Amino acid sequence: MPAVFVLLWSTGFIGAKYGLPYVEPLTFLLVRLALVATVLALVALATRAPWPKSWTAAGRIALAGLLVHGVYLSGVFLAIAHGLPAGVTALVVGLQPLLIASLSGPLLGERVSGRQWAGLLLGLAGVALVVREKFAIDADHLVGLGFALAALLGITAGTLYQKRHGAAMDLRSGTAIQYAATALVLAVAAPLTETMRIEWTGEFIFALLWLSFVLSVGAIFLLFALIRRGAAARVSSLFYLTPPVTALVAWAMFDERLSAVALAGMAVAVAGVALVNRG
């Protein structure tokens, strides 16, 4: 399950590469999440999935979704749309496992061992090596950096909140609620900030379907299942593997350069994740 999650999550760049040239970021997310929310709601109804028993429970599920899907995805898309290099974005979001480890003790009562802390720091160093050649930032990138930081806080808070309040939700109905809540917020934000113009090219449709069903269903279902089963720090350490796997997929599919330093960074990141999960 962790290996499949990392592989699916790492292909998210395909959606940005193929989709964003034809649509603005919030509009893209709105169409994507509205589509997935509709499909999952129909699946939940057809399979008689249990729904939350109270409005309070539904509200907590929706809030976790707004953090994980709304703040995180919007932050990443807007950071890249405002010119922040992908390497910088990956490194900023790559701080998430360290934040999770710092907060999981006081908030969830989970203990992080010394070996796991060493693995988390080693994993971050590996990510830094992988994205080193794509790392560049100047004053023009400050707005994008702000969005990347918002994405970092969103995925961190969302992971912790999901672990504490949403771990027992049914994945079919619960995720439908999360996507519907996020789509409603985007339905207000997108018209206020974007033209909402879409070019319905083959590349855009491919990106929409890939991100909707491979990422927003497959990868997210796996992420929530992992959060339900394991400690938050261990699950979050898997995010260190996504930049290396993304680099490998880009090398295989788009012939992007893969340096010796990046290969070394991949090995370091894998070693760090191994330490976290054996600690």
Side-chain angles (χ1 to χ4, degrees), residues 34 42 48 68 83 93 95 117 125 129 164 172 200 223 233 236 264 274:
L42 293 174
R48 299 183 179 180
V68 173
V93 178
L95 295 172
W117 275 113
L129 288 174
R164 186 165 185 174
R172 295 159 294 178
W200 292 91
L223 174 61
S236 64

Side-chain angles (χ1 to χ4, degrees), residues 23-227:
V23 63
E24 292 163 293
L26 296 186
T27 301
F28 194 1
L29 287 174
L30 171 59
V31 175
R32 167 185 169 183
L33 299 187
L35 172 62
V36 179
T38 301
V39 171
L40 286 178
L42 293 174
V43 170
L45 291 172
T47 58
R48 299 183 179 180
W51 293 80
K53 296 181 179 180
S54 68
W55 285 107
T56 300
R60 288 174 174 170
I61 290 172
L63 178 57
L66 286 171
L67 292 168
V68 173
H69 311 305
V71 179
Y72 170 69
L73 290 177
S74 297
V76 169
F77 273 46
L78 287 169
I80 294 173
H82 280 79
L84 192 68
V88 181
T89 305
L91 192 59
V92 171
V93 178
L95 295 172
Q96 187 247 16
L98 289 174
L99 286 182
I100 291 286
S102 300
L103 297 172
S104 60
L107 295 180
L108 301 176
E110 296 178 355
R111 178 180 176 273
V112 181
S113 68
R115 178 182 290 182
Q116 288 177 311
W117 275 113
L120 290 168
L121 293 172
L122 193 61
L124 181 63
V127 171
L129 288 174
V130 172
V131 304
R132 183 182 67 90
E133 295 178 356
K134 299 180 180 179
F135 192 95
I137 189 169
D138 54 43
D140 294 335
H141 295 142
L142 292 180
V143 174
L145 182 61
F147 283 121
L149 289 171
L152 168 64
L153 296 177
I155 191 66
T156 300
T159 300
L160 293 169
Y161 196 84
Q162 178 72 21
K163 176 69 176 178
R164 186 165 185 174
H165 295 292
M169 76 178 192
D170 184 272
L171 289 176
R172 295 159 294 178
S173 58
T175 312
I177 291 171
Q178 292 185 338
Y179 286 137
T182 307
L184 286 174
V185 174
L186 290 171
V188 176
L192 293 175
T193 58
E194 299 179 351
T195 65
M196 299 193 72
R197 179 174 173 269
I198 301 173
E199 295 181 44
W200 292 91
T201 63
E203 289 86 354
F204 171 75
I205 293 172
F206 167 77
L208 176 63
L209 294 177
W210 184 272
L211 289 178
S212 296
F213 297 107
V214 176
L215 270 293
S216 293
V217 176
I220 289 296
F221 272 35
L222 287 172
L223 174 61
F224 286 167
L226 289 166
I227 291 173

